[in-house]
Structures are given as structure tokens and as C-alpha cells.
Amino acid sequence: MNNSASIVAVILVSIASLVVGAFGLRLSRTMSDFYVASRGVSPVLNASAISGEYLSAASFLGVAGLILARGVDMLWLPIGWTAGYLLLLVFVAAPLRRSGAYTLPDFAQLRLESVVARRVSSLLVVAIGLLYLIPQFQGAGLTLRTLTGAPSWVGQLAVAVVVCLNVLPGGMRSVTLVQAFHYWLKLLALLTPLFLLLGAVGDRTGDPDVGAVFVRDWVEPLQGDHALYLTYSLVLATFFGTMGLPHVVVRFYTNPDGRAARRTTLSVLVLLSAFYLLPVVYGVIGRYVASDLVAAGRADSVVLELPSRLFDGPVAEGLTAVLAAGAFAAFLSTSTGLVVSVAGVVSQDLVRWGAGHRQGIRTFRLTTVAVVAGALLLTVVSAGVPVAHAVELTFAVAASTFCPMLLLGIWWRGLTSRGAIAGMVVGGGLSMGAVVTTIFGIAAGGWFGVVLTQPAAVSVPLAFATMVLVSLATRSRAPEHVAQTMVRLHAPEHIDLNRGSFHPERWYRRPPSAEVTADGTQHPAYDRAGETARRPGTTARRG
Amino acid sequence: MTPPTPPTPPASPEPARSRVRVTSPRTSAARTRNVSIASEIDEQTRLGEVYITSLMRSQLRLALGVLLVLASTLGLLPLLFTAVPGISDVHVLGAPLPWMLLTVVAFAEIIGLGWFYVRRSERNEDTFSDLLDGR
């Protein structure tokens, strides 16, 4: 492949992302602009941004490759990644927005009133974020190497630099515009070449490779060993894991209210469904014209290779360049979202060397650089380790930790901080253990090995059970303000009610001595005075 | 005419702060509510909790209903594929039936369920706020 066009396309996408980001800079002045764009983002823009951030390299390149290689059973991945948003919509979207928290640790502290639960959540956010970030960087390196022959670190460094340049000046607000732009870029980058490719396939009547398509274990579901368990475990991980991904959840705070959060999520369902049909078609076309890629172990690059299989010369080059631009946008947007959410949590929770707005923003910028550098270092260290599977495992970790914490925390008054911590430790320990053994290739035979490759069907129910049982055992230590928290999570915003005075920006400005009350008696983020004070509207109505 | 003397307060000052009934003791009359439901909720009374719990229950029932529909359609597909091995021989619009079910049909169902949920959950909330404003 000759790829000067692709290099130009990748550079253009990077420049366009920076320009769009600079356009969104105007108004990001305050702390909350940095984290959540001051919540002033319209539903359509926000839905595009959510979808743009969510559709990673695994969606743009990986789905087509997996369908090419393994056939019908892999259709569960795009379905699971979309249905995950349906479950997020029905169980989590509006209450999470109404909680007013910026991040998952904020939510943990609001609901559980425990600094320990907050710390455990922060560590999990960092772990999940890095686990998800490494495959993005590695994918970028591999793609640029496939296209240009450049060494892997070029692509990794390019993504890292563009992500930093996007996040550092504007925080979340500029990122929102960039990610909305990336969604439409990715959709068009897959859609436009598709018509030409389909036309070319249609012209090739009497295809010699058509025999490769109607292979029994490709076209028929559930043909492999333990296929039923693996499928159900994958379904469980993806359906319930989406709501626990830190970069997905942080996006919900940019909605103006709970209803807008629901409507945004509905738009996301439409946008994701429209997108996910396309890689499936690429995988099927790949089976017709490029089935040799499977044997060569390069199924992941099928999207990028299809144009050169069906066309010659400048047409092939141009189409490859368009697809390369889309793939690079996929790396950029997901990495950016992950970096923003991890850096937000790290700067709020794990390092607290600044207080007040100016220093807070400086801390956020410093941690952004630190997170990107750390992820880059881990990517280099773990080079050669098969991490493509790590994206699937990330969903299993999220489904075994944050998913039960959110579901039980929102819908069950009985969840205590000890129950939540125990459940997150059990679920996180089991799923992370599976991740580690899989990444380092510690093979285990029989059913144990099968469970390790898809741990969700075991770890998710165990995490739920642990949370419920430990909460029941520690019933006397229920959070003090749980009744008020439930009002806050579920009552529509336009009703004037006392929702407590928790504010995510307040707690970390407090001196660390407030943490001695970590066992839930008094909550550092609650202002004692503000708790009993009524707003004027509430009092007036009572007359 | 001297104005009627105000009722003399009871002797000890402590019971004076408690309420003195000045109307006729019609115990059978219905009690009038002078406290709004919103303030019942704010004060975290039993009644206020009942109202919030009813809102939570209606929303949770709706959400679980959506999950149940999803589980009994999409969720049962792997079992269906196992139970009916010849299902791939059935073709719809040129594609094997499992491929159609796992792409177009699944996405249409997900969007439809999401749309249904948004409508119904907003209706639940409207019912709740009408309840609070109606007093």
C-alpha cells in the first residue's frame, strides 16, 4: 500500500481536532467547566459526544475483524455495547445526573457517606481507565505501522500528544465539541467508502471466495466449546459493564437535568445502532474478499485493507485515507475521554496539592500530563502482551464493581458503605485476577480456564451477593442521610425539595482532618449549617 | 363596655406553650391538612417517605419491566440457537435468520424499549409532581 494520502488524513484529523477544541475554549473558565462543561451542553451535541467518546478502536476496527475471524457469535459485542446504554438509561441515567456528582467517587461518597468507599472507587477508576487506555495507545501504534511502516511508538506518541493538546487548554468543554465532531467523522468515514465497496463486490459475480462465507462455524451461532457460557458471560459483561465505565459516566453530568440525561441516552441508542451496523457489513465483505487475513493473524486490519482489495490506484488510496482518518479519530476520542475522567479523579482524590479554582485547574493539567505519560509508559512496558482482549475484560471489571454499587445504591436504601466496599473488593479482585492471568498468559485448563477468559458470569453475581449480604449484616451502620439522598436521586428537579447540601467541589477543599469521621457519622462534604437551612422557596410554600 | 378579658393563661409557664384548643371539640370532623407533602418529605416523616418510595417503586418496576423484556427476547436467543440448530437455514431477505436477529431486529428492539422507557418514566414523574402540587 502506498500511504502518503493516509498520513495526510491522519495529520488533518489531528489538526481538525485541535481547531474544534480551540473553538470550544471560549467559555471554559471555572473548575466545573473543566470537569463537566458547566452542564450546559444540549442533548444532541451531548449524545454525539457520548457516542464519539464511546466508539473506540475496538468498535471501529475490532468488531469487523472479529466478525471476519469468528462470525456470527461476535455480533453480541456491538449488541452488548449498545444494550449497555439501554440498561444505563433505565437504571442509572436520571438518578446519576440528579445526584449532582462529577465522578463515580463523588457518587460513592454522596450515597455511602464514607471516604473509604470514595478512595476504593477512585482506585478502581484509575485501574479501569488505564486498562482501557493501553489498548487504545497500542491500537494507534499498530494502525500507523500497518499504514506507513513507522515504528509503533510513533502512533502511540502522536495520540498522546494530540490528547494532551486537546485536554490541557480547555478541559471538558473543548473535549465535548471534539468528541461530537469525532462521532460524525467516524460515521462518515465508515459510511462513504461502504457504498463504493458494496458496488465493487456486487460487480464481482461468480466470486471464487464465496465458499469461505458459508462455513458452518462462521455462519451458525454457538459452534465452539463452552460457547453458551462464553456468550452469556460476554452478554452479562457488556450489558452491565457500560454503566460502570468512568469515561461514560462522567458524560452524564454535562446534561442540564435528569430528563435531559434520559433523552440524551435515547439519542445515544440511535446513534450507536446506526454506527454498529457498518462494521458488521465490513466484516462480511471481508469474508468474501479478504478471508486470508484471518490465517495471517491480521483480521483487525480488515477495515483498512478492504479498499486495496477491491480497487487500484488513487481510489484505493483515497478510501484507505478516509478509513484511516476515522480510525485515528476513534483512538483520539476514546483516549481523550479516558484521560479526562482519570485525570479528574486523580487530581480530586489522590493528589490534593492545590485548593481553589486556579490551583485546581493547574492540578488537573499536571495530572493530565502524568496520566498520559503513565499510560504511555505502561503501553511500552506491556508491548507484545496480547491486550486486544483487555477491552472485553475491562467491561467485566466495570460490571463486577461499579455496576452493583450504582444499581444497589440508587434503588436500595439498605446498601451500606461496608457492603459496597466489600462487594467492590470481591468483584474487582475476581475480575482483575482474571485480567492479570489472561494478560500474562497464565493458562489454566478446563472450566477454570474458561471462566478466566470471560469472568463476568461468575464475578458479577458474586459482587452483587457480597454487597447485599454485607449490607444486611451491617444494617445498623446505614448512612445517616440516606432518606435525603433518595429524594435527591429520584425526585424531578422542578419540585422544590430539600436534597441535602452535598457538593462535589466542597469536600476536597476541606482539611484532611475531616477524614477521621470516615465511618459515616459525619460526612466531610456535608456542610453542617447548610443541612438544616432551607431555601426561601421551600419555606414560603409552607405558609 | 369593657372589652372581654383575654383568657387567662394557665398557672404554670411550661404547659402555656402547648396548644390550647379554642374551638368546639368536634372530634368527628375531618382533619384539615395544613402541611404540604413537600414538607412532609423534607421533614422525613413516614408519610413523606411513603411518597418517595412510591415514586421509586413505580420507576423501578418500569426499569425491571424493560430488563425483563430484554432478557426474555434477546437474552433467550443463545438458548434458542442451541435448541434449534437448523435455524441458520432459514433465510430472511437473503441473510440467515440469526444474523438478522442479531443486527437489525436487536437494534430496533433496543431503540424501541428506550423510547418506551423515556415516555413512561416521564409520565411517572408527572404523576408524582401533580400529586405534590395538587395540595
Side-chain angles (χ1 to χ4, degrees):
Chain A
M1 276 189 278
N2 179 351
N3 290 297
S4 48
S6 300
I7 298 173
V8 172
V10 166
I11 292 171
L12 277 180
V13 167
S14 306
I15 292 173
S17 305
L18 292 176
V19 169
V20 173
F23 185 69
L25 249 181
R26 295 161 303 164
L27 287 171
S28 87
R29 288 284 174 274
T30 64
M31 193 79 168
S32 53
D33 268 330
F34 253 65
Y35 290 124
V36 291
S38 291
R39 309 211 169 106
V41 180
S42 79
V44 174
L45 180 64
N46 211 7
S48 307
I50 292 175
S51 313
E53 180 177 51
Y54 187 59
L55 295 169
S56 66
S59 305
F60 196 91
L61 301 175
V63 168
L66 284 169
I67 285 169
L68 165 66
R70 287 155 68 186
V72 64
D73 285 341
M74 288 299 108
L75 290 173
W76 284 105
L77 271 179
I79 290 179
W81 288 335
T82 312
Y85 269 98
L86 178 63
L87 295 190
L88 187 130
L89 165 67
V90 303
F91 286 110
V92 176
L96 195 61
R97 171 60 195 88
R98 286 174 179 150
S99 75
Y102 291 164
T103 61
L104 282 167
D106 283 342
F107 177 83
Q109 186 174 24
L110 164 73
R111 170 63 180 81
L112 303 168
E113 299 172 28
S114 148
V115 175
V116 182
R118 184 184 182 104
R119 297 255 185 265
V120 174
S121 308
S122 305
L123 287 176
L124 277 171
V125 165
V126 174
I128 294 175
L130 287 179
L131 198 62
Y132 210 169
L133 211 46
I134 293 169
Q136 304 303 322
F137 282 10
Q138 286 211 336
L142 283 174
T143 303
L144 240 62
R145 199 174 63 190
T146 310
L147 287 172
T148 67
S152 298
W153 62 266
V154 175
Q156 294 164 4
L157 198 66
V159 168
V161 167
V162 179
V163 166
C164 276
L165 289 177
N166 256 330
V167 176
L168 289 182
M172 195 64 154
R173 178 174 279 271
S174 63
V175 162
T176 302
L177 273 178
V178 173
Q179 286 171 339
F181 163 68
H182 281 166
Y183 171 78
W184 294 103
L185 181 67
K186 280 181 267 193
L187 186 73
L188 289 177
L190 274 188
L191 194 61
T192 321
L194 192 61
F195 292 111
L196 292 171
L197 294 174
L198 279 176
V201 171
D203 290 342
R204 286 171 47 152
T205 46
D207 200 299
D209 286 340
V210 84
V213 175
F214 288 97
V215 178
R216 190 177 150 74
D217 65 353
W218 189 75
V219 80
E220 284 187 22
L222 300 174
Q223 293 298 317
D225 293 335
H226 310 295
L228 200 61
Y229 170 83
L230 290 174
T231 303
Y232 270 117
S233 198
L234 180 68
V235 165
L236 206 62
T238 49
F239 278 38
F240 288 94
T242 306
M243 68 177 76
L245 293 178
H247 69 302
V248 167
V249 159
V250 79
R251 274 259 152 247
F252 280 81
Y253 310 123
T254 54
N255 288 297
D257 59 23
R259 284 193 176 193
R262 283 200 200 108
R263 291 177 175 207
T264 300
T265 318
L266 182 58
S267 314
V268 170
L269 291 180
V270 176
L271 295 179
L272 289 184
S273 302
F275 179 88
Y276 273 131
L277 288 174
L278 304 177
V280 175
V281 181
Y282 274 84
V284 174
I285 298 178
R287 194 76 188 185
Y288 276 95
V289 299
S291 54
D292 55 296
L293 286 176
V294 182
R298 291 192 296 133
D300 274 349
S301 62
V302 61
V303 168
L304 298 171
E305 297 225 1
L306 272 187
S308 58
R309 297 296 178 104
L310 289 164
F311 297 101
D312 299 315
V315 182
E317 259 179 61
L319 292 183
T320 309
V322 170
L323 290 166
F328 205 69
F331 300 129
L332 279 184
S333 50
T334 304
S335 312
T336 308
L338 286 164
V339 166
V340 167
S341 52
V342 174
V345 165
V346 171
S347 65
Q348 264 195 10
D349 290 331
L350 303 181
V351 292
R352 286 188 290 163
W353 63 66
H357 278 202
R358 285 289 145 203
Q359 285 92 335
I361 288 172
R362 208 189 57 178
T363 311
F364 180 82
R365 286 179 172 147
L366 285 174
T367 32
T368 300
V369 176
V371 167
V372 171
L376 210 54
L377 195 71
L378 282 174
T379 311
V380 174
V381 169
S382 63
V385 172
V387 287
H389 189 49
V391 170
E392 281 173 44
L393 288 170
T394 311
F395 278 82
V397 176
S400 326
T401 52
F402 285 129
C403 163
M405 194 268 278
L406 285 169
L407 287 186
L408 294 175
I410 289 171
W411 297 105
W412 185 44
R413 287 165 198 266
L415 182 71
T416 66
S417 65
R418 280 159 197 244
I421 292 167
M424 287 195 284
V425 167
V426 168
L430 288 173
S431 49
M432 294 281 216
V435 171
V436 170
T437 50
T438 308
I439 284 183
F440 292 103
I442 303 166
W447 265 104
F448 188 61
V450 175
V451 171
L452 282 183
T453 47
Q454 288 289 357
V458 174
S459 59
V460 175
L462 278 178
F464 269 101
T466 311
M467 276 196 197
V468 171
L469 291 177
V470 176
S471 292
L472 289 177
T474 57
R475 214 175 331 182
S476 55
R477 294 172 161 276
E480 190 188 350
H481 305 93
V482 64
Q484 214 168 45
T485 304
M486 287 302 171
V487 174
R488 183 188 187 111
L489 294 180
H490 294 283
E493 284 88 346
H494 64 87
I495 302 177
D496 194 9
L497 290 171
N498 180 11
R499 292 153 206 268
S501 58
F502 178 85
H503 194 281
E505 272 184 36
R506 193 177 291 139
W507 87 277
Y508 60 89
R509 292 199 200 128
R510 296 243 156 173
S513 62
E515 286 170 31
V516 293
T517 56
D519 54 359
T521 49
Q522 190 192 339
H523 192 279
Y526 273 103
D527 190 334
R528 259 328 211 199
E531 210 170 83
T532 43
R534 306 263 177 202
R535 277 167 299 158
T538 324
T539 331
R541 237 173 41 150
R542 197 167 297 143
Chain B
M1 292 290 243
T2 54
T5 53
T8 50
S12 67
E14 275 308 305
R17 299 191 184 278
S18 68
R19 192 166 173 150
V20 178
R21 181 184 288 139
V22 290
T23 52
S24 72
R26 273 184 60 212
T27 49
S28 60
R31 275 184 62 201
T32 52
R33 167 178 297 283
N34 56 3
V35 187
S36 74
I37 295 171
S39 60
E40 296 268 4
I41 293 172
D42 281 356
E43 307 287 343
Q44 294 176 24
T45 61
R46 294 285 295 277
L47 184 63
E49 202 174 309
V50 166
Y51 276 100
I52 281 293
T53 306
S54 79
L55 172 68
M56 279 173 67
R57 287 242 171 94
S58 62
Q59 298 287 47
L60 184 60
R61 209 176 301 129
L62 175 61
L64 289 175
V66 169
L67 181 64
L68 190 71
V69 172
L70 195 70
S72 56
T73 50
L74 268 185
L76 288 183
L77 281 183
L79 284 179
L80 175 76
F81 295 154
T82 319
V84 190
I87 195 164
S88 296
D89 300 333
V90 182
H91 281 61
V92 180
L93 301 173
L97 185 58
W99 285 77
M100 290 307 275
L101 288 176
L102 290 178
T103 50
V104 182
V105 177
F107 286 125
E109 183 189 342
I110 288 170
I111 293 173
L113 281 174
W115 179 79
F116 170 79
Y117 172 81
V118 170
R119 268 176 52 112
R120 290 297 294 267
S121 63
E122 289 187 357
R123 198 185 300 168
N124 284 345
E125 283 175 0
D126 289 343
T127 311
F128 179 75
S129 59
D130 286 350
L131 206 63
L132 263 64
D133 289 342
R135 306 290 177 123

